[in-house]
Amino acid sequence: MLRMCVAAAVVGLAISTKPNYPHTIDCASAAKPPGWLVQNTCNLEGDFTDINARALPSWYADMKFGIFIHWGVYSVPSYGSEWYWHNVNCGGTAVKKFQDDTYGANFSYTDFAPMFKAELFDAEQWVKVFKAAGAQYVLPVGKHHDGFVMWDTKTSPGWNAVDVGPQRDVLTELYNATLAAGMDFGIYYSQFEWFDADFVEDFKNNYTTNTFVTKKVIPQRLELVEKFPKAMLWHTDGGWMAPDAYWGNLEWLDYLYSKSPLASRVVSCNSMGFGCCKDYGGGKCYEYGDAPSGGDRTTAGRIQPHFYTNQMTIQKSSWSWDRSEIELDNFLSTAELVFTIVSTTAWNGTTVINVGPTSDGLMPPIFQERLSELGAWLAVNGEAVHGSRPWVPGQEGETLFYTQQVADKKVYAITLEYPAKNLLTLHHPTCSKVTKAELLLASGAVLLKHACSNSSSSSSSSSSSSSSSSNSNSSLEITFPDAPLGTAWGWTVRLSGLN
């Protein structure tokens, strides 16, 4: 009996662990301070030339598909989005009503932390799902704007996943599981926190003080690179809340690229502060670096000279799991996700598709289904995606895209609609005497009949040779089988022997 009582007391202690997060609710701190004159604060820091000219490593350009994970204290109410705390206090009328009706007007966001137990979280199971989807890297949120830290930290006692809630080093578990599965690992890290007391005070001081950066941001940055030395992607958000000189981004990026444990193999998607992103972000305050973002849920629309990141959610309106929108039309279909990956690849980017687990650590079945279907599609068509490069012009019309494998001299035409009358006409590839067109199928590639207009070059499933040279003005016409074969959502023709 005594042993049972002691055990119960220990369990009770674990459950009742209280969060400790010094904060000040100030909604104005999520905007530029009054009277702030936007200036080029980059010049105050020094010369960004070497940082901006850093060549993109080819190994990162090979990575076309990753998994983003938004999971934290906000997953407990799971209503609206991961901006739940900010919305409750700063004008989210529907979210505020939900909070008051469900938890009471006096219930604080920090009270959710002990409820974030993650009791069913299994990092290895998550990673198994991600790998089967054909993803090449995993990008979990290490800390979002609410400041809750997902790793074992000394910088935020009482407000991290080891001290309160899961009482587990969640980020380390994901890191180890990801590397063990042979996948790459990245870290999303929010520089700013909505209501951190020191950040709000720095804001009120018009950023003439940097207590928050000194006490929290710099130590957290150093903790992360030391704890996760094999993380290859550093994705920083939230810089747009303050001038760049406040964050010290130049000094940080110089350290990250040349002196940190990650230096030999890391790329950065770094959020520049305002007054700096104006110069380096094309006039927009989005992440800039080796893997710049075009913004949430947006993509390029054409081939880009600089490799970019397309951040996309499966649940349309939220990055974290949102119980307020669970109708099927609130989620992207598999066809839409295939379009996103194919088009982004053709336009010289990588797609990171987001999932939002539930607070207990389960992956909602609809996410698993979408990822499983993506995996089935990529198992057949992945050679046109993984490790590929754009092939000019990138696309024809709205549903036909081009990629290439440079070393193998293979060009891929990916059509997201089965060709009308079984005839696919390509206007950009130019035939030669040895051109081959093969449809990728789960059972293996099938040679297709093809012909080049305005020339006598032709080939069929029984012969891949022809008697004449190519014509640069010719169109390549490819005959598909009578019935749609292969996976749904998209069909890939592998072209070889082109001029």
Side-chain angles (χ1 to χ4, degrees):
M1 179 64 72
L2 178 60
R3 183 177 301 174
M4 292 176 61
C5 290
V6 171
V10 172
V11 172
L13 178 62
I15 293 174
S16 64
T17 300
K18 293 184 178 181
N20 176 35
Y21 182 60
H23 61 279
T24 302
I25 302 298
D26 187 331
C27 298
S29 64
K32 296 176 183 177
W36 176 265
L37 299 177
V38 176
Q39 55 183 306
N40 188 345
T41 59
C42 294
N43 289 342
L44 301 178
E45 296 178 80
D47 188 359
F48 271 79
T49 302
D50 290 344
I51 299 296
N52 296 327
R54 185 174 186 263
L56 177 74
S58 60
W59 56 262
Y60 186 64
D62 289 341
M63 295 189 183
K64 304 303 183 183
F65 174 31
I67 300 292
F68 215 164
I69 309 170
H70 278 68
W71 189 50
V73 173
Y74 42 79
S75 303
V76 176
S78 58
Y79 191 91
S81 74
E82 67 287 349
W83 279 60
Y84 184 88
W85 192 7
H86 189 273
N87 291 339
V88 165
N89 290 280
C90 301
T93 304
V95 178
K96 171 64 173 172
K97 184 178 186 304
F98 170 82
Q99 166 81 3
D100 292 349
D101 291 348
T102 308
Y103 302 103
N106 296 324
F107 193 92
S108 170
Y109 180 81
T110 57
D111 294 331
F112 285 120
M115 301 167 65
F116 175 46
K117 297 177 182 178
E119 63 270 26
L120 299 177
F121 168 57
D122 184 340
E124 293 182 358
Q125 178 60 31
W126 284 14
V127 171
K128 182 179 179 181
V129 171
F130 302 154
K131 187 167 186 175
Q136 296 159 286
Y137 61 96
V138 179
L139 180 65
V141 169
K143 185 189 77 172
H144 205 262
H145 308 327
D146 62 354
F148 190 82
V149 176
M150 298 292 280
W151 70 91
D152 188 7
T153 181
K154 297 178 181 178
T155 64
S156 190
W159 195 239
N160 66 79
V162 175
D163 289 351
V164 64
Q167 299 187 333
R168 298 164 64 176
D169 189 335
V170 169
L171 203 60
T172 294
E173 291 185 39
L174 277 169
Y175 174 75
N176 291 336
T178 300
L179 297 184
M183 300 171 69
D184 276 295
F185 188 81
I187 298 170
Y188 167 101
Y189 172 76
S190 174
Q191 295 182 114
F192 100 106
E193 299 171 18
W194 293 305
F195 305 128
D196 178 274
D198 290 326
F199 178 77
V200 172
E201 188 64 24
D202 287 347
F203 161 77
K204 291 179 177 178
N205 293 334
N206 208 25
Y207 298 117
T208 58
T209 58
N210 66 345
T211 305
F212 172 69
V213 174
T214 302
K215 286 175 58 176
K216 185 173 284 188
V217 175
I218 293 175
Q220 286 182 347
R221 285 169 167 173
L222 294 175
E223 267 188 351
L224 284 169
V225 298
E226 290 168 3
K227 285 178 65 68
F228 307 103
K230 294 184 179 180
M232 61 83 198
L233 173 60
W234 179 269
H235 184 122
T236 306
D237 195 6
W240 33 265
M241 299 308 305
D244 202 74
Y246 173 76
W247 302 116
N249 270 325
L250 178 58
E251 182 179 10
W252 163 247
L253 290 174
D254 179 65
Y255 167 77
L256 182 70
Y257 287 149
S258 62
K259 305 178 185 70
S260 78
L262 281 61
S264 63
R265 194 173 187 268
V266 67
V267 293
S268 170
C269 180
N270 199 69
S271 181
M272 311 295 274
F274 61 75
C276 198
C277 56
K278 183 177 181 181
D279 294 326
Y280 296 123
K284 297 181 180 180
C285 296
Y286 297 141
E287 291 84 359
Y288 186 85
D290 296 304
S293 164
D296 294 350
R297 308 184 187 91
T298 60
T299 190
R302 61 187 181 279
I303 293 179
Q304 297 298 298
H306 198 308
F307 195 69
Y308 74 100
T309 302
N310 180 7
Q311 305 169 108
M312 185 60 63
T313 58
I314 295 178
Q315 192 168 19
K316 295 178 181 178
S317 63
S318 179
W319 296 86
S320 63
W321 178 244
D322 179 9
R323 294 182 294 165
S324 71
E325 296 189 353
I326 56 173
E327 300 297 327
L328 282 178
D329 60 4
N330 296 134
F331 298 85
L332 291 184
S333 67
T334 302
E336 289 172 315
L337 293 172
V338 169
F339 168 83
T340 299
I341 290 177
V342 169
S343 61
T344 301
T345 301
W347 295 330
N348 196 29
T350 180
T351 303
V352 57
I353 291 180
N354 180 79
V355 295
T358 56
S359 63
D360 55 11
L362 291 181
M363 193 70 59
I366 194 165
F367 292 155
Q368 295 190 51
E369 179 193 52
R370 295 292 190 269
L371 294 179
S372 175
E373 291 177 340
L374 278 177
W377 190 85
L378 286 168
V380 174
N381 303 278
E383 67 176 85
V385 175
H386 297 142
S388 70
R389 298 294 186 272
W391 191 78
V392 177
Q395 71 185 100
E396 287 191 44
E398 300 297 322
T399 60
L400 178 62
F401 297 88
Y402 291 107
T403 64
Q404 63 175 320
Q405 292 289 354
V406 178
D408 296 336
K409 297 183 179 179
K410 300 288 196 307
V411 171
Y412 299 87
I414 308 170
T415 177
L416 303 182
E417 292 182 351
Y418 206 77
K421 299 181 180 179
N422 300 337
L423 187 64
L424 179 66
T425 302
L426 308 178
H427 296 95
H428 294 282
T430 304
C431 292
S432 77
K433 292 186 293 184
V434 295
T435 294
K436 291 172 59 178
E438 301 169 284
L439 179 65
L440 301 186
L441 300 173
S443 58
V446 174
L447 197 62
L448 300 177
K449 292 181 180 180
H450 71 273
C452 293
S453 61
N454 302 321
S455 78
S456 59
S457 175
S458 64
S459 179
S460 69
S461 58
S462 60
S463 174
S464 61
S465 63
S466 64
S467 59
S468 73
S469 62
S470 65
N471 185 318
S472 60
N473 296 319
S474 66
S475 294
L476 177 58
E477 296 182 342
I478 301 171
T479 302
F480 270 54
D482 287 336
L485 296 177
T487 58
W489 314 299
W491 296 264
T492 300
V493 177
R494 180 172 62 204
L495 300 169
S496 59
L498 297 175
N499 274 347

